Amino acid sequence: GCYVSADFVFDKARIAVFVDGSVHDHAQVAEGDLFKRECLERLGWETMVWHYQQPLSDFVSAHPHIFTKSSAQ
């Protein structure tokens, strides 16, 4: 029911990850982003957004239920 293109999609877990570059700083784009992400959330999806100015380590730390340390070597 939503026309959305996420950067990463985990269907089984119903998680959509968006990587927002500088174009998403524009008000009109940000408004569209919000509309699309709210649509997904209404359908039971979890949405996660990594903004290009946010340190990747902060993004990973904010989502420990998704990003866990692997025991693989």
Side-chain angles (χ1 to χ4, degrees):
C2 303
Y3 181 74
V4 179
S5 180
D7 295 286
F8 300 95
V9 176
F10 302 94
D11 286 319
K12 289 183 181 181
R14 297 181 65 90
I15 298 170
V17 180
F18 298 89
V19 178
D20 284 0
S22 60
V23 69
H24 297 270
D25 291 339
H26 300 287
Q28 186 175 7
V29 175
E31 184 178 318
D33 290 342
L34 183 60
F35 177 80
K36 292 172 186 176
R37 293 164 191 176
E38 287 176 344
C39 181
L40 284 175
E41 291 167 2
R42 284 192 301 275
L43 293 175
W45 283 72
E46 177 178 357
T47 61
M48 299 168 43
V49 180
W50 177 61
H51 187 269
Y52 73 100
Q53 290 182 325
Q54 178 186 26
L56 186 55
S57 59
D58 290 354
F59 176 73
V60 170
S61 296
H63 304 285
H65 64 294
I66 303 298
F67 301 105
T68 59
K69 289 189 178 186
S70 171
S71 60
Q73 298 196 26

